Structures are given as C-alpha cells and as structure tokens.
Amino acid sequence: MASHGALAAVWVIAVRLDPRRLAFRLDTATRNHGLRGAWSIDSLAEPGAVAFNAGQFTGGFPWGWLVLNGNETQAPGTGTLGMAFALDSVGVPSLVTPNELSARRSHVRFAFQSYPMLLNDGAPPWELRRPGRGINLQHRDARLALGMLSDGSIVVALTRFAGAGRLGETLPFGPTVPEMAEFMQSLGCRRAMLLDGGISSQLTIRDSRGAVRRWANWRAVPLALIAEPRPLVTASQPGPRN
C-alpha cells in the first residue's frame, strides 16, 4: 500500500465485480443453526466465483439491517455511518446511505448493513476527516472494504500483512480507517464501506478454469456475499422455413 512506513508491509487484493456478468446473493451457511457464525470461504460451492464475509458482527450475529430472499429478518441499525449493500428485485446492487434507507427498505431482495461508511459521493464523511468525531482514526487493523464505481461495478479490497512471511498474513495489522478510505478513493469508488476486518476478513475467487485462490482467516462468520456467473444469453436459433 506504500513504498515506505507502516503500509510498506501491507498488500491489498482488489477485485472488480461486474453486475452484468455476475449475480449476487447472501449466504448464511447456517441453515440448521440460526445465524451465529458458521460460514467461512470453505463453504463456497460451485458455481460461486467470488465470496467474502459481509457486514459487521456483534456476538457472532450480524449487525443491523438484514434482508434474505425478500424477508427482512433484522431492522436497520442506527447511526450516520451505517451504510448498506442492497440488491433490488432484479439483482441490481447499490450502496445505500442512512438517509436513503427508509425509501429502499421494502424494495430489496437481499441487503445487509455495515460500518463505518468510507466514501459518499467520492469523499470521506465528516466523521473521518478529523479526530474526536466518534471514529478511532489511528487504529491499524486488517481491513476488508466494499465499494462501488460510477459505472455500477462493485469493488472488494482485502488487506494482508506481508511483513512476517506466509504465517503472518492473517495478523490483524494494516491501514487505518482514513487510509482505507483513501485507497478505495484511489480505485475510483464513489461510495464505500468497511466490512468486518481483523481475523474475520476472508476472500476466495474461482476463475473461469475452476482454479481457486483463497485468503482464509481464523474466525467463522454468520454472513457472506456470494457472486456467481450469470447464465450466458445466446441469440435464438432461426426457426424452419415454410
């Protein structure tokens, strides 16, 4: 993330997801055990292409707004930085600010909430611009962020510590919240939010040949966002001539 200083030992895996080619859904992988943490990247099954932990968690359960298959299972959390990821009835994704949430609440198929918001309209919110506004701006941790570009693409970015070899990759050290906001801004994100980081942050990618790249972690989580390839649309074959 930098040529010198604390971030010189931090790498970032950044992935752009095209909603025209990928369909999104939430997965709990806890069908018989409620929503308590039980999902990891090992839960990803074909044809899943990308998966990572979603939202923030409290006591092993998701925090804030949660909609699964059109059913709101949790009401929205409060706070000015509680941004949400939402999929409408046809699967179009968006990042929703707290001011927009009430109007969107009954019109989504999947949704989850997280915090803090990193970017809105391409800039960090007021709380991230100066200390003493409710967010710890000095704390360093492993980070996982979700953002959106102006063309509607989704960006997910995962940090890994590279200063202690392969065994040290999951150490909870990385950028501060403002540094992660600046990084997402550098990728062109207009809106972005943090997901649960530290030892929860995990990501897996399956390419078109079936090869899997994994960035695992120690903690199972209650919720994940999955991206799967959309079915290819082919031109209809001409019918027989009379």
Side-chain angles (χ1 to χ4, degrees):
M1 293 190 74
S3 60
H4 60 277
L7 294 182
V10 178
W11 291 78
V12 184
I13 302 97
V15 185
R16 184 178 66 85
L17 307 174
D18 186 349
R20 296 170 299 180
R21 301 179 62 183
L22 295 167
F24 299 89
R25 63 179 177 85
L26 290 176
D27 186 20
T28 64
T30 53
R31 295 168 185 83
N32 299 318
H33 306 287
L35 280 177
R36 192 171 180 86
W39 188 93
S40 74
I41 56 173
D42 294 328
S43 304
L44 181 67
E46 293 190 31
V50 179
F52 49 94
N53 55 289
Q56 297 282 353
F57 313 121
T58 301
F61 293 88
W63 171 84
W65 191 34
L66 184 60
V67 181
L68 299 171
N69 280 317
N71 179 35
E72 183 177 280
T73 61
Q74 288 185 184
T78 59
T80 59
L81 298 180
M83 185 171 268
F85 176 86
L87 295 166
D88 67 14
S89 59
V90 295
V92 176
S94 60
L95 286 176
V96 182
T97 66
N99 292 337
E100 299 166 340
L101 198 149
S102 60
R104 297 289 306 278
R105 191 170 175 182
S106 59
H107 305 285
V108 299
R109 184 179 177 193
F110 288 100
F112 70 89
Q113 200 171 9
S114 194
Y115 66 88
M117 180 193 310
L118 295 176
L119 298 172
N120 187 22
D121 294 328
W126 175 84
E127 292 89 342
L128 270 59
R129 298 180 188 179
R130 187 170 297 177
R133 296 177 174 177
I135 296 291
N136 187 334
L137 303 185
Q138 287 76 43
H139 176 66
R140 296 192 174 279
D141 205 349
R143 304 291 183 183
L144 179 65
L146 182 65
M148 178 168 279
L149 305 177
S150 57
D151 67 358
S153 297
I154 299 297
V155 173
V156 58
L158 174 75
T159 70
R160 279 292 186 262
F161 181 63
R166 188 67 180 268
L167 293 178
E169 288 184 2
T170 57
L171 289 174
F173 179 86
T176 64
V177 173
E179 287 169 345
M180 199 65 194
E182 183 178 358
F183 179 77
M184 298 302 283
Q185 188 179 47
S186 76
L187 297 181
C189 293
R190 300 297 298 167
R191 291 186 173 184
M193 63 181 180
L194 280 182
L195 307 178
D196 201 33
I199 61 173
S200 295
S201 56
Q202 51 196 290
L203 169 70
T204 188
I205 302 170
R206 178 181 287 110
D207 67 22
S208 58
R209 297 170 296 177
V212 176
R213 296 284 303 277
R214 301 171 69 259
W215 292 271
N217 225 313
W218 297 97
R219 181 184 291 147
V221 297
L223 195 65
L225 185 62
I226 311 294
E228 298 174 338
R230 290 185 181 274
L232 293 176
V233 179
T234 57
S236 60
Q237 297 295 321
R241 294 182 179 180
N242 293 328

